[in-house]
Amino acid sequence: MDKHILEQMDPKILGARLQDARKARGMTQQVVAAELEMARTTIVAIEKGERRVTPQELIRLAELYGRAVSEFVSRQVITAGFVPQFRSEWREDFSRDESLEQAGDDLQRLAEDYVELERLCNLPMPKSYSSIYETSGSSPEQAAEEIAATERNRLGIGDGPISNLRDRLETDVGLRVFYFTMIPTVSGVFAYNDTLGGCIGINSKHPRDRRNWSLAHEYGHFLTNRYRAEITFLSERRRQSATERLADAFAENFLMPASGLNRRFTEMYRANSEGRITIAQLCTLADLYQVSVQALIIRLEKLKRIPTGMWDRLEGEGFKPRRAQQLLGINPNPTEQYELPRRYLNLAVMAYELELLSEGQLARFLRSDRVSARVVVEELSHRYFAEQGGYEDFELDLAQTVPGR
Amino acid sequence: MASPQILDACVLINLLASDETDGILRAAARESFICSAVETESIYLRTDDSSAPIERIDLRPLIDARLLTVCGIEGDEESERYVDYASVLSDGEAMSLAIALSRDYVLVTDEKKARRLFLEAAGKPTLLASTSALIRNWADDSISVERLKQALSKVERRARYQPPPTDENHRWWLDASH
């Protein structure tokens, strides 16, 4: 190597990363200084970027913080942290629950890795962001209905169900959507900065219909309040603010547009010779729209297609949507093959095939062990392991360029 | 005794998958090291039952049997090399490379990027080995065709590894495993 990495790196950036890692570990500068038998002022100077860290000091600091050395010296993408954004907007919640910080940190790291892969492969994310929608002068519900219709039109979705919302928001809008484990009370997080763009984290432990709703909800935040970091809680009580009402109403209108849902409901009604709609049909309709049975019934109540209070009545009678779906052979929670975005995976495999990433780095980008990373490479590139043993090839060179204008 | 060898995680996984690690390391007739970053990396293998959870591997028996020795970074030169390589490789790969270069150990890795960086720095291909080279060396030691076939098949199934066409033992591997 021509020049040592610690001489090339901006000491302020490295210092900030070390400071973040120390804080994430819950250690004071005093404790770190004592562990490393250094003066506290030396730690202060390193973190401020006023003194360059030596290789041996960096190795010891990484060990102390439980981080890989590569985490400090390999990341090229530098952005303002999401965690301070969340902390300033959600001060009370952050002070009550430290695990919230983890969700913000996870979102940031995943988004930075995504941009890093784009940088390595020289394939930036194509973005088609709408300008921020003005919502003053109308109720959150009215504004949400208009925005949802405009967005559906802009994205060319029409008024039918959206079969794969996650892929669509990534491909057609250019949002970064990650599914990862969060505490059960949080359904999603949203943050934005100019380098990373719009980033959404969805709780991967929630069922598909919940995840879909959360995704549409966070998209509503992106469209109306892009510069405010959001945490969406499951609890209804926390969702009464105007911005939360708007995001919920947006999700409702975006996932179940009135015109399309009315038309389908009417068709179902007509198809039944006795002029009745069954619970089974409602469950099937909810599955078609990839929303919960509760969300669908409440939407139909609001559209005045079924009597108001229907959901409350069914719930009072002990109706169990999951049990009903099971009886109807509907799988409400099909497992995602991959939790990371498809494009992210393709970029990671491409970078690996081009020797821009090593296997160890690939595994880190994929948040997996090495053998699982090998399986992803097999699946997304040119090899697969045959049932009868041995590898078979199908040629697909992801790095191959295709002519186009 | 020949120069010691240092195994990167990608090779270690393959050897462990073969269920013949003891014999393969003994056949190498040189001291075998892994670096501390590889020791702490969690190693998982697929089981023969594809629906069963992946299996975590414990390196302790190999270390206790002195078939593997764990080594760490020593001195300024190794530290500097380690940190430099950590900017382009994972910690385990970077540490293995730094130690191999500083101590003239044989680096055993299948990782293309690590091999390229090693050759750029060391310029001695004789100090570079691979999974296939270690297994072939072991196989030459009167191992039955069937036992070799089983070992290779386990590497393919449990570690999902087969040497690439650019590997000097690629053809040998295909002939021996099928």
Side-chain angles (χ1 to χ4, degrees), chain A residues 1 3-7 54-56 58-59 62 67-71 73-76 352-361 369-375 378 383-385 389-391, chain B residues 8-11 13-14 41-42 44-46 54 73-76 79-80 82-91 93 111-114 116-117 153 156-163 178:
Chain A
M1 292 190 159
K3 200 175 170 195
H4 299 301
I5 187 70
L6 295 182
E7 290 166 16
T54 68
Q56 287 191 328
L58 180 63
I59 294 166
R67 297 281 179 98
V69 172
S70 53
E71 267 191 59
V73 292
S74 68
R75 283 186 295 142
Q76 302 288 318
Y352 174 68
E353 300 259 289
L354 292 170
E355 292 182 35
L356 301 169
L357 289 183
S358 68
E359 184 180 272
Q361 288 177 305
D369 61 282
R370 283 174 182 258
V371 178
S372 300
R374 291 176 186 180
V375 173
E378 281 170 22
R383 308 172 81 208
Y384 65 97
F385 193 74
Y391 280 94
Chain B
D8 184 17
C10 60
V11 169
I13 286 169
N14 297 338
E41 192 175 321
S42 301
Y44 293 90
L45 291 174
R46 303 263 139 170
I54 53 177
I73 287 288
E74 287 171 9
D76 293 343
S79 300
E80 198 153 65
Y82 169 38
V83 172
D84 281 343
Y85 283 121
S87 67
V88 288
L89 296 168
S90 72
D91 276 25
E93 292 156 350
E111 217 300 301
K112 290 181 286 183
K113 190 177 173 188
R116 174 166 51 79
L117 292 169
S153 166
E156 291 185 352
R157 281 200 321 273
R158 299 174 69 204
R160 305 299 270 240
Y161 177 78
Q162 189 186 70
H178 297 109

Side-chain angles (χ1 to χ4, degrees), chain A residues 187 203-214 234 279-280 282-297 311 314-315 318-334:
Chain A
S187 54
N203 193 336
S204 60
K205 295 293 176 201
H206 287 176
R208 182 187 64 176
D209 49 31
R210 177 73 248 174
R211 293 197 306 256
N212 242 10
W213 184 277
S214 303
L234 275 181
I279 297 290
L282 292 180
C283 290
T284 308
L285 196 57
D287 184 51
L288 181 68
Y289 278 87
Q290 296 188 8
V291 295
S292 68
V293 178
Q294 179 185 8
L296 178 89
I297 291 177
W311 171 253
L314 284 171
E315 207 179 20
F319 173 63
K320 297 275 185 285
R322 292 285 180 248
R323 179 81 186 113
Q325 286 169 322
Q326 201 179 1
L327 287 171
L328 292 164
I330 295 169
N331 179 1
N333 199 21

Side-chain angles (χ1 to χ4, degrees), chain A residues 163-292:
Chain A
S163 60
N164 195 336
L165 180 61
R166 181 187 185 181
D167 282 352
R168 192 167 279 274
L169 291 184
E170 178 161 294
T171 309
D172 294 351
V173 181
L175 291 179
R176 304 184 194 282
V177 181
F178 303 99
Y179 289 4
F180 56 92
T181 307
M182 299 175 198
I183 53 171
T185 51
V186 171
S187 54
V189 290
F190 162 77
Y192 174 92
N193 72 31
D194 290 337
T195 309
L196 303 177
C199 302
I200 293 174
I202 299 295
N203 193 336
S204 60
K205 295 293 176 201
H206 287 176
R208 182 187 64 176
D209 49 31
R210 177 73 248 174
R211 293 197 306 256
N212 242 10
W213 184 277
S214 303
L215 185 47
H217 177 102
E218 302 302 342
Y219 185 43
H221 283 307
F222 169 77
L223 294 170
T224 55
N225 216 353
R226 198 164 299 173
Y227 298 100
R228 186 180 192 271
E230 289 288 344
I231 301 174
T232 305
F233 294 91
L234 275 181
S235 158
E236 294 283 341
R237 183 178 57 78
R238 288 170 174 268
R239 302 179 73 155
Q240 296 307 308
S241 71
T243 51
E244 288 298 292
R245 275 170 52 207
L246 192 147
D248 260 345
F250 172 81
E252 190 176 58
N253 282 279
F254 192 62
L255 294 173
M256 298 173 283
S259 55
L261 185 58
N262 270 323
R263 193 173 60 250
R264 277 193 161 72
F265 190 81
T266 303
E267 283 164 7
M268 277 169 57
Y269 205 84
R270 283 187 188 139
N272 191 323
S273 56
E274 294 173 23
R276 282 191 314 207
I277 292 290
T278 64
I279 297 290
Q281 283 175 304
L282 292 180
C283 290
T284 308
L285 196 57
D287 184 51
L288 181 68
Y289 278 87
Q290 296 188 8
V291 295
S292 68

